[in-house]
Amino acid sequence: MKKKLVLGATAAAVLTAGTFGAVAANASAPAAAPAAVAKADAGGDHLRQTTHLTVDAATDAAEAVLEAAEKENQRVSVAVVDRNGNTLVTLRGDGAGPQSYESAIRKAYTAVSWNAPTSELAKRLEQAPNLKDIPGTLFLGGGAPVVAGGGPIAGIGVAGAPSGDLDEKFAQAGVAELAK
């Protein structure tokens, strides 16, 4: 009986040591990753550096939009999206209609996707009416792209004013804030 107990304890010790060794080996594996990253950073045409708008800058732009709208007694919502159409900031102004929030996001997404004001894109529907079927887009005035280095880095969308022209005027106030 003592032989079985000693043999069992020995097996358990070996199993524990093997498990500890495997965990220790796995724990040290990520240390090799920085070398791979450093090698990739060494250069080549397979890397591209991009410009991104900060959340602080997006918030400043959105606040500038609301201030411009308030000066004209308009109740709007504003959205700022990044280059990939991901929402960075949304602000719903006091008294803005419930539909304006989603519309602002979709206008911002549309503006950055085509790197053009949504009022210009709305005119393209005459030649290509199926554009309006692309998910997440809204081809009404009120969206403006934010450009840096020759390419779009963000989109600002505004909704809730009585016309797309006013929405777009307020979106341009956000773009102007970023240009300061």
Side-chain angles (χ1 to χ4, degrees):
M1 181 75 152
K2 283 188 175 181
K3 278 185 173 177
K4 286 184 182 178
L5 186 56
V6 171
L7 188 58
T10 304
V14 169
L15 181 61
T16 301
T19 301
F20 178 76
V23 169
N26 286 338
S28 66
V37 171
K39 184 177 179 184
D41 287 342
D45 292 336
H46 58 283
L47 299 176
R48 190 166 319 269
Q49 194 170 27
T50 60
T51 303
H52 296 274
L53 196 61
T54 66
V55 171
D56 286 342
T59 302
D60 290 345
E63 289 173 347
V65 167
L66 289 183
E67 287 174 19
E70 286 174 10
K71 286 179 184 174
E72 297 192 30
N73 295 318
Q74 298 301 315
R75 299 178 185 124
V76 301
S77 290
V78 58
V80 181
V81 302
D82 68 10
R83 172 61 187 110
N84 298 317
N86 299 309
T87 305
L88 293 171
V89 173
T90 52
L91 296 176
R92 184 176 174 270
D94 294 334
Q99 79 290 353
S100 65
Y101 187 85
E102 179 66 28
S103 296
I105 294 170
R106 292 175 60 195
K107 288 178 182 183
Y109 176 81
T110 305
V112 76
S113 295
W114 277 275
N115 191 23
T118 53
S119 60
E120 289 180 21
L121 296 170
K123 295 172 189 172
R124 294 183 192 177
L125 289 178
E126 295 172 11
Q127 290 81 22
N130 58 341
L131 281 178
K132 70 180 179 340
D133 298 332
I134 297 172
T137 60
L138 187 58
F139 292 88
L140 297 174
V146 177
V147 179
I153 62 164
I156 299 176
V158 179
S163 73
D165 291 341
L166 276 175
D167 285 339
E168 200 158 306
K169 174 183 174 182
F170 302 142
Q172 289 296 339
V175 173
E177 176 67 24
L178 295 172
K180 290 181 179 179

